[in-house]
Amino acid sequence: MKTALIIGATGNFGFQMALTLLNRGWQLKILIRDKDKCPGALAAADIIEGSANDSEAVLNAAHGCALIVYAANPKYHRWQQEALAMLEPTIAAAKVSGARILLPGNVYNYSPQPQWVNELTQQLPYSKKGEIRVEMEQRLKQASQHGVKTTIIRAGDFIGPNTHFTWLNMALRTKGKQSKLSMPHDQTHKHFWSYLPDLCTNAAQLVESSEATFELWHDVGLQLTTQEWVTALQQNGQTVKQSKFPWLALTFASLFSPMLKEVIKMRYLWQEPLVLNGEKMKEKLGSKQEETQIADIVKAILVK
């Protein structure tokens, strides 16, 4: 039985990836700063107290592992100061242990564009955060040339039944059969989303069948307008009331919050198109690829 180390199990991707691997028969180790904050659903795992920044802790935790899920992030307003250095202990541990690193990528690496973005599209980031993500991936690719196996699976904004602090958590409020929807974009914009249970199942399959030292995959995901959300909610028996997203209030609050200031800088992703092309993943996984429809996704979110 293979063992995976999860770094960042309290985050959305880390938690769902841990659940997915457990369901697929993997043994788990969880590296977490505070054992008391480990999600109860992961109680069967080997819980190890330690930090992603601690080289010795990561190295010891990675011993005997075939996979390291690197799902940790600094605080949103601390990326520039901490993100690259925070990755180094995982790279060092993977080199010693022989484990493959699984990194959830995002769309920050690219500028908005009308064409779908595939794995060969040139990475020309629009934001400083995008520059940092490009540097992280370049560092992993460099490490792969020295034997560090890496899989990057790039995704859109996360949605799913087990998420917290996501854009959808802010945009959708439900009470009984009443839903209030305040999408951060206008009625014509198609935004790119990734359903976490599908993403993580597909990621697990890709890792389990990996062939190359460095692999990059784009999620198939969903590109959705506001109306498509409304229709999916109505198909699940919801009465939907729409309202404007509170960008003005967030912009004012950002004057006093470094984190919100960084959030506002990424608003362009809600104004211009940026959609991933997941054909490479589709071709690889074939009929085994998970691709849940939006009405069923909304059902899962509503019954969480």
Side-chain angles (χ1 to χ4, degrees):
M1 185 181 294
K2 290 185 176 181
T3 301
L5 171 63
I6 312 292
I7 301 176
T10 57
N12 290 316
F13 183 86
F15 177 66
Q16 186 64 52
M17 198 69 220
L19 291 180
T20 300
L21 291 172
L22 275 176
N23 289 337
R24 296 179 70 85
W26 286 66
Q27 290 186 329
L28 291 188
K29 294 182 181 180
I30 308 290
L31 183 68
I32 191 168
R33 287 179 181 272
D34 183 350
K35 287 185 176 182
D36 293 336
K37 293 183 179 179
C38 186
L42 304 180
D46 180 8
I47 314 298
I48 303 166
E49 204 159 68
S51 168
N53 292 301
D54 186 334
S55 297
E56 185 176 357
V58 177
L59 180 62
N60 290 336
H63 179 72
C65 291
L67 178 67
I68 302 174
V69 177
Y70 184 78
N73 278 304
K75 291 182 178 179
Y76 204 58
H77 62 286
R78 296 289 301 172
W79 276 29
Q80 187 170 349
Q81 295 84 354
E82 299 176 16
L84 286 165
M86 191 172 170
L87 178 61
E88 287 301 319
T90 292
I91 293 174
K95 187 171 185 179
V96 172
S97 67
R100 176 174 289 271
I101 297 172
L102 173 62
L103 175 78
N106 59 33
V107 300
Y108 294 3
N109 301 49
Y110 303 97
S111 293
Q113 51 197 281
Q115 301 85 9
W116 289 12
V117 173
N118 65 30
E119 291 83 354
L120 298 178
T121 302
Q122 186 178 5
Q123 297 188 4
L124 297 172
Y126 183 86
S127 64
K128 183 61 183 177
K129 277 191 167 45
E131 292 175 5
I132 294 167
R133 294 299 299 199
V134 169
E135 288 184 66
M136 289 175 67
E137 293 185 18
Q138 288 176 340
R139 176 67 184 99
L140 286 167
K141 190 166 188 178
Q142 179 190 50
S144 73
Q145 296 168 358
H146 300 278
V148 177
K149 300 187 292 288
T150 297
T151 296
I152 299 171
I153 182 162
R154 195 181 313 287
D157 280 305
F158 295 150
I159 51 178
N162 299 311
T163 60
H164 55 278
F165 299 119
T166 68
W167 282 100
L168 189 62
N169 293 137
M170 290 190 288
L172 177 63
R173 296 282 186 271
T174 59
K175 185 176 181 180
K177 291 294 183 180
Q178 304 295 317
S179 288
K180 181 180 179 181
L181 188 65
S182 307
M183 277 296 167
H185 55 75
D186 64 24
Q187 295 291 328
T188 62
H189 179 80
K190 283 196 169 189
H191 193 70
F192 189 74
W193 304 88
S194 289
Y195 182 51
L196 271 172
D198 287 353
L199 177 70
C200 291
T201 298
N202 294 334
Q205 293 186 81
L206 292 168
V207 165
E208 291 167 354
S209 62
S210 58
E211 299 171 353
T213 305
F214 184 85
E215 297 185 342
L216 172 61
W217 306 91
H218 284 185
D219 183 34
V220 175
L222 305 99
Q223 48 173 325
L224 301 169
T225 62
T226 299
Q227 185 56 50
E228 286 171 304
W229 279 104
V230 171
T231 299
L233 286 161
Q234 291 172 338
Q235 288 172 339
N236 281 277
Q238 293 289 302
T239 299
V240 183
K241 179 180 179 181
Q242 295 189 61
S243 61
K244 287 187 176 180
F245 189 81
W247 280 115
L248 185 61
L250 281 182
T251 302
F252 178 75
S254 73
L255 298 174
F256 312 97
S257 167
M259 188 273 287
L260 285 178
K261 185 177 181 181
E262 294 301 307
V263 169
I264 294 297
K265 290 179 182 178
M266 308 308 290
R267 186 177 179 180
Y268 68 92
L269 291 170
W270 301 96
Q271 298 170 319
E272 302 176 68
L274 183 46
V275 175
L276 299 181
N277 183 331
E279 289 302 313
K280 178 184 171 184
M281 182 192 293
K282 273 188 173 183
E283 184 178 345
K284 171 69 174 181
L285 296 180
S287 61
K288 295 181 180 179
Q289 180 208 337
E290 294 290 331
E291 192 174 1
T292 305
Q293 299 303 305
I294 183 58
D296 293 323
I297 290 172
V298 167
K299 181 179 180 180
I301 291 171
L302 292 174
V303 301
K304 66 179 179 179

